[in-house]
């Protein structure tokens, strides 16, 4: 079992930055990919970013490419999402997720373990 726990959300003005963290103890963190997703009010949960087990491969939604950076520290069992140049449309609950299987995907159905989410609000 894996129990991701997100932190780092908050209220920020447009153009500002936030860094989200996700601690994922419970198994050998370093051999599994991790993903970030978000869900805005009234919308479906959507892919934001994913990272392979080694950190050597990263994937981003077009809407965040060039502004967000996903990274991981396997020694700390933690994955990060650095969010720069934030926009009001980035407002959402952000979720960290981990799969049961090896390999990385941008597909939400690939991920089995989910955190409770952390709220990010960007004011205009």
């Amino acid at each position: 079992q894996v129990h991701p726990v997100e932190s780092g959300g908050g209220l920020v003005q447009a153009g500002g930055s936030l860094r989200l963290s996700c601690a994922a103890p419970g198994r050998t963190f370093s051999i599994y990919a991790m993903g970030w997703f978000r869900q805005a009010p009234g919308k479906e949960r959507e892919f934001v970013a994913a990272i392979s087990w080694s950190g050597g491969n990263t994937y981003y939604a077009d809407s965040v490419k060039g502004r967000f950076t996903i990274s991981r520290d396997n020694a700390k069992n933690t994955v990060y999402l650095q969010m720069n140049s934030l926009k009001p449309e980035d407002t959402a609950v952000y979720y960290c997720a981990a799969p049961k299987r090896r390999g990385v995907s941008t597909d939400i159905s690939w991920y089995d373990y989910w955190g409770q989410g952390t709220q990010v609000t960007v004011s205009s």
Side-chain angles (χ1 to χ4, degrees), residues 30-99:
S30 61
I31 65 173
Y32 292 95
M34 295 292 293
W36 284 99
F37 295 78
R38 68 186 181 185
Q39 188 166 17
K43 295 187 177 181
E44 293 188 351
R45 195 170 298 187
E46 64 176 6
F47 168 75
V48 175
I51 188 166
S52 62
W53 67 271
S54 67
N57 293 295
T58 56
Y59 307 85
Y60 298 94
D62 288 343
S63 59
V64 307
K65 203 170 293 183
R67 300 187 298 121
F68 290 12
T69 302
I70 189 171
S71 62
R72 64 191 297 159
D73 184 338
N74 286 342
K76 296 182 178 179
N77 283 16
T78 302
V79 63
Y80 304 96
L81 186 68
Q82 178 66 44
M83 306 186 294
N84 298 330
S85 302
L86 282 161
K87 305 175 181 180
E89 51 263 44
D90 294 318
T91 295
V93 177
Y94 283 71
Y95 297 90
C96 173

